[in-house]
Amino acid sequence: MKKKASALNDSAMSRLNRIKPGTNVTFNVLFLILSLMCFLPIIYVFMISISSEESIAEFGYKFIPEGFSAKSYKFLWMRKGEILNALWVSFKVTAIGTVMGVALTTLMGYVLSRREHKLNGFFTIVVFIPMIFGGGMAASYVVNMNILHLGNTIWALILPLCVSSFNVTIARTFFRTTIPDSIIESAKIDGASQWTIFGRIVLPISKPVLATIGLFLAFAYWNDWYQSSLYISERGLLSLQALLNSINNDIEFLTKNPGIGMTMADLRAAMPTEGFRMAIAVIVAVPIACVYPFFQKYFISGLTVGAVKG
């Protein structure tokens, strides 16, 4: 009788949870539209980057250009030495910064998640205050340049973005809500040190928060050009984004000041403008976009930290 009752309950629940065919089709169409809304702009930007300047000037931006041209990418290829060096700087900064940032953030988050820590309240306030108040650009510049002497070093691109209060809060919330205190206590009874607990017990079951923080940091480092504009004057240390932004600014300057040696017609014939900007966007966006699918599962799990579970 119990088995029959259980089977009837399972059948009833299955009927309640079953999605009607019409609803399923509606959801699929909706998700398809949302996916296209995210994907089509990338294709649109790429199509503009291979459009001829004459086509853009006459017909404007079009998904299928009236005229095609690879001049934008040829212009970038002429600067391939600089661009490849800047690409290497960006990869190096992103890799080192992401590893350091994940390590420091998770360590701070784990310490703050332990309620028995004597200075837990004090350190929580120290981490929380920068989320509300900031020292400003002038104070940061003085500290990084005059006190830490980070100017024209790769560390000027890494250390200012390495740790953020937001990421520490995410890690703290994850460890407090996901790691049971009983596991930590059992490990302590067995004689495990805090380093052993963190490295062998906590980290292996913390892949979602590691992937989430790692992606946040990777996006921040890869897309950053502001640190280079503040602390880097040597062209060989510019990141990819900073170099491409510098090239774009040079083109705008030459275009707006034709009296320095070239006519406006010569400049427009020699250097692409609109297509070049879109080519820059493609080069910057594609590498980091290729990384996201490999971490998507863990990233989504990490974003739901603290959510109410039914």
Side-chain angles (χ1 to χ4, degrees):
M1 292 296 293
K2 289 183 178 180
K3 289 183 178 180
K4 277 188 175 182
S6 177
L8 289 173
N9 287 333
D10 291 342
S11 177
M13 291 299 295
S14 176
R15 285 197 302 272
L16 288 173
N17 294 327
R18 189 179 301 152
I19 299 177
K20 296 179 180 179
T23 305
N24 191 32
V25 170
T26 303
F27 283 156
N28 288 333
V29 171
L30 177 62
F31 290 139
L32 178 61
I33 293 173
L34 293 175
S35 300
L36 291 175
M37 289 174 63
C38 296
F39 187 69
L40 285 179
I42 300 175
I43 303 298
Y44 190 46
V45 168
F46 174 73
M47 297 305 295
I48 297 172
S49 71
I50 60 174
S51 301
S52 64
E53 290 299 311
E54 295 78 11
S55 172
I56 295 176
E58 184 175 355
F59 301 102
Y61 294 160
K62 298 190 70 174
F63 196 86
I64 301 178
E66 296 293 331
F68 292 89
S69 173
K71 187 182 290 187
S72 300
Y73 293 97
K74 288 179 180 178
F75 185 76
L76 287 175
W77 181 253
M78 292 168 56
R79 312 284 293 267
K80 61 182 181 295
E82 279 186 302
I83 291 175
L84 288 176
N85 179 73
L87 182 64
W88 169 243
V89 171
S90 288
F91 273 122
K92 187 163 55 174
V93 168
T94 301
I96 297 174
T98 300
V99 172
M100 286 184 59
V102 169
L104 294 174
T105 301
T106 51
L107 284 170
M108 293 176 66
Y110 175 71
V111 171
L112 294 177
S113 69
R114 298 300 96 197
R115 293 182 176 87
E116 67 274 11
H117 193 278
K118 293 182 180 179
L119 298 178
N120 186 293
F122 171 74
F123 285 126
T124 299
I125 294 175
V126 169
V127 170
F128 179 74
I129 286 177
M131 294 181 66
I132 310 299
F133 306 102
M137 184 186 70
S140 300
Y141 185 84
V142 170
V143 170
N144 292 324
M145 290 293 289
N146 298 340
I147 298 177
L148 299 179
H149 303 288
L150 298 180
N152 284 324
T153 66
I154 195 173
W155 297 108
L157 306 178
I158 295 175
L159 295 182
L161 303 177
C162 198
V163 178
S164 73
S165 299
F166 178 73
N167 290 341
V168 172
T169 302
I170 289 178
R172 170 181 173 272
T173 304
F174 179 88
F175 291 136
R176 179 167 289 184
T177 58
T178 306
I179 309 299
D181 292 335
S182 57
I183 295 180
I184 307 299
E185 295 300 327
S186 299
K188 287 181 180 179
I189 292 173
D190 292 337
S193 65
Q194 288 291 352
W195 284 108
T196 302
I197 294 172
F198 182 74
R200 296 189 177 183
I201 298 176
V202 175
L203 285 184
I205 57 179
S206 301
K207 291 180 181 178
V209 74
L210 295 178
T212 302
I213 295 173
L215 278 176
F216 282 156
L217 288 170
F219 289 154
Y221 280 117
W222 183 259
N223 294 318
D224 178 65
W225 58 270
Y226 185 66
Q227 308 303 321
S228 294
S229 67
L230 286 178
Y231 306 120
I232 303 298
S233 58
E234 295 182 11
R235 204 159 179 88
L237 289 174
L238 290 177
S239 63
L240 177 63
Q241 290 72 17
L243 177 65
L244 295 177
N245 183 62
S246 175
I247 295 173
N248 189 41
N249 290 337
D250 291 344
I251 290 177
E252 286 188 358
F253 176 78
L254 292 173
T255 304
K256 293 177 181 178
N257 298 273
I260 61 176
M262 297 179 69
T263 65
M264 183 70 73
D266 293 336
L267 284 168
R268 286 178 176 172
M271 294 184 297
T273 53
E274 297 300 325
F276 177 76
R277 292 186 178 92
M278 299 305 170
I280 289 176
V282 171
I283 290 178
V284 170
V286 168
I288 199 68
C290 294
V291 174
Y292 177 76
F294 297 100
F295 297 91
Q296 181 181 9
K297 179 178 68 174
Y298 298 117
F299 182 67
I300 294 173
S301 300
L303 288 179
T304 58
V305 171
V308 178
K309 299 179 181 179

